[in-house]
Amino acid sequence: MIAKWIATITFIAATTSGAARAADIPPAVSPGIAAKLMVRGTTLEGVQVVDLRSQRKNDVMVVQAELMNVKEKDVRVYYRFRWTDAAGMQVGDGEVWKPLVVLGKQSLFIRGTAYGPQATDFRIEMSAEER
Amino acid sequence: MKRIFVVSKTIGTFIFAVMILSACQTKLSQPTVSLARQVSYGDSKAVETVTNEFGSTDLQMIAEKMVGSLLEDPILANRPTLTLAGVRNKTSEYIDTKSIMNTIQTALVKSRKVKMTRSADEMQQGVDELQRQNQSGLYKAQGKAKIGNMTAAKYSLEGEIVSIVKQNATTKDVFYKMTLKLYDIEEGSIEWQEEKEIRKTSKK
């Protein structure tokens, strides 16, 4: 009987503590940001893109995204920007994958600059693994 | 009983033959010359972590950072002329710095935001061709490239790469820093400068 009570209390504590599993954390905080991401798999192991903005500098598109590791475990994120022109054709040869370690509860900016004025749209390709 | 045995033997042989034939169908050859699959092509943009020496990912990340920073800068607003000067390698490794600069030049040229002129390394070939067209007597005047019409570069890209290596019994840490500067050739002033830092740590 006591064992049953302990099990029940443990279950309730685990489900109500707010410690969401990495698999339950979506890679973006809003559908608008999610539309600009190409995530390999369904999650980024607890990392979320919490802010995304772009502007043209010197007639070249510049994008900045803010990543937040919601979990306490460190995560290694791989990312690259994909640039397309007005017709949806790829601009440039494709960027190199860039590795980035996001420590637990850390927030980081990533930034990309298009290859030239012909780029008018972008997507961020992302992949993640536990460090 | 004997007849049942013969029938089952025939069916068994038939199934065996079908299995062999189907196995043969799945083993189509691929358009390669290699028999053993000891070599395979990979993604040239993938993150390479074979060793912690300077590698393809480092080269590509440095070039991307430098090109991005330069393209954003208003110094390129009027499509200026640039030339490549050398990049000093101050690391303990052999690094083909010309290759880094070529990757940067390729991206800059493709952006159409700058005009690149011949670097000092590439000048002799240009001079040879001009002399061939003008002094060999082989070419008609129309369409001949004239001597004295080269466009001089307003800016030159120069830089250096350094490394700091620290290691103990179990860990090796390498820190690379590439610095690139854009000099106004006439004035000698630095008009743009950028750095890219890379840290690589490996366990022994």
Side-chain angles (χ1 to χ4, degrees), chain A residues 29-51:
Chain A
V29 290
S30 70
I33 294 176
K36 289 291 179 190
L37 304 182
M38 296 171 67
V39 177
R40 297 183 66 244
T42 52
T43 70
L44 292 173
E45 303 291 342
V47 171
Q48 275 191 315
V49 180
V50 294
D51 186 62

Side-chain angles (χ1 to χ4, degrees), chain B residues 59-177:
Chain B
L59 186 152
Q60 291 165 319
M61 287 201 300
I62 286 172
E64 272 184 19
K65 171 83 183 281
M66 297 301 176
V67 170
S69 173
L70 198 49
L71 288 178
E72 281 179 36
D73 199 280
I75 193 114
L76 301 191
N78 296 318
R79 204 169 177 227
T81 44
L82 265 67
T83 191
L84 295 184
V87 172
R88 287 180 298 280
N89 177 12
K90 292 184 171 178
T91 71
S92 52
E93 297 172 48
Y94 169 75
I95 297 172
D96 187 355
T97 54
K98 183 79 181 167
S99 178
I100 302 173
M101 296 306 281
N102 273 336
T103 306
I104 291 171
Q105 181 173 271
T106 302
L108 288 176
V109 169
K110 287 172 88 170
S111 76
R112 312 292 295 167
K113 299 285 282 183
V114 295
K115 276 190 280 189
M116 300 298 299
T117 63
R118 283 185 182 274
S119 65
D121 292 350
E122 299 161 336
M123 185 52 87
Q124 191 55 50
Q125 282 174 293
V127 171
D128 289 348
E129 180 59 22
L130 274 174
Q131 285 176 343
R132 192 162 69 95
Q133 290 193 20
N134 287 281
Q135 295 170 6
S136 66
L138 293 169
Y139 299 94
K140 59 186 176 189
Q142 192 183 8
K144 197 162 63 176
K146 294 180 182 64
I147 288 176
N149 279 344
M150 278 192 184
T151 304
K154 179 166 175 55
Y155 300 106
S156 75
L157 268 174
E158 299 177 34
E160 65 176 36
I161 182 165
V162 298
S163 69
I164 299 169
V165 182
K166 298 196 92 174
Q167 55 190 319
N168 61 19
T170 57
T171 307
K172 183 179 181 186
D173 181 80
V174 187
F175 174 80
Y176 293 103
K177 187 178 76 170

